[in-house]
Amino acid sequence: MLKLFIASDSHNTSCVERFALLTKNCDQAVFLGDVLEDAERMEQLSGKKMLKVAGNCDFFSRCEREIVMTLEGTKLLMVHGDAYGVKYGLDRLACHAAEVGAKAALFGHTHKPFAGYVNGVLLMNPGALQNRCYGMLTLSNGEAVPKLLTL
């Protein structure tokens, strides 16, 4: 079993420190963009390397905009979401996740927490860390169980 703690859209919030402390108790932390400097600070505070993708506010970042990887038998897509128009609907993101063979897609950008299935793909947005929202995804034997949380 693997526990991922997921954050997005921190936007220089004071919640960075609290989330960093929480990540000490997870197997892997994920940051889905918008102020990658905050993710770097979280890494320093927790001593753990995070999986990170750049968001639309990370203008000059060399960080990847998309990660596709398999963890605990579950193929995941990690994006910020702006490139897939997630503020206007989730079908494009779900379609892209299916195209790359992902069982679940993690995204941010909307600042609204969401966990549910769209066209057979689990989509999870932890909400904005600046609003004290984050998520946990438990992976085990090819299954993914999302949980939306608040600091």
Side-chain angles (χ1 to χ4, degrees), residues 81-93 107-110 112:
D82 56 308
Y84 298 98
V86 295
K87 286 188 176 181
Y88 309 104
L90 299 176
D91 289 335
R92 282 180 56 204
L93 178 60
F107 70 102
H109 190 56
T110 68
K112 296 176 184 172

Side-chain angles (χ1 to χ4, degrees), residues 24-101:
K24 289 183 177 186
N25 300 316
C26 72
D27 299 305
Q28 179 66 62
V30 177
F31 186 74
L32 300 170
D34 276 0
V35 188
L36 283 165
E37 292 84 0
D38 288 344
E40 292 166 6
R41 175 93 172 113
M42 287 184 252
E43 287 177 327
Q44 291 171 346
L45 292 168
S46 70
K48 282 190 171 186
K49 199 81 170 131
M50 298 180 86
L51 295 170
K52 302 179 290 263
V53 294
N56 61 299
C57 292
D58 300 311
F59 305 110
F60 303 109
S61 173
R62 293 184 181 193
C63 192
E64 298 290 327
R65 297 268 305 158
E66 182 172 305
I67 296 173
V68 178
M69 68 185 324
T70 301
L71 297 171
E72 278 301 303
T74 303
K75 193 168 189 178
L76 302 173
L77 168 66
M78 295 170 237
V79 299
H80 183 61
D82 56 308
Y84 298 98
V86 295
K87 286 188 176 181
Y88 309 104
L90 299 176
D91 289 335
R92 282 180 56 204
L93 178 60
C95 182
H96 179 64
E99 285 173 354
V100 300

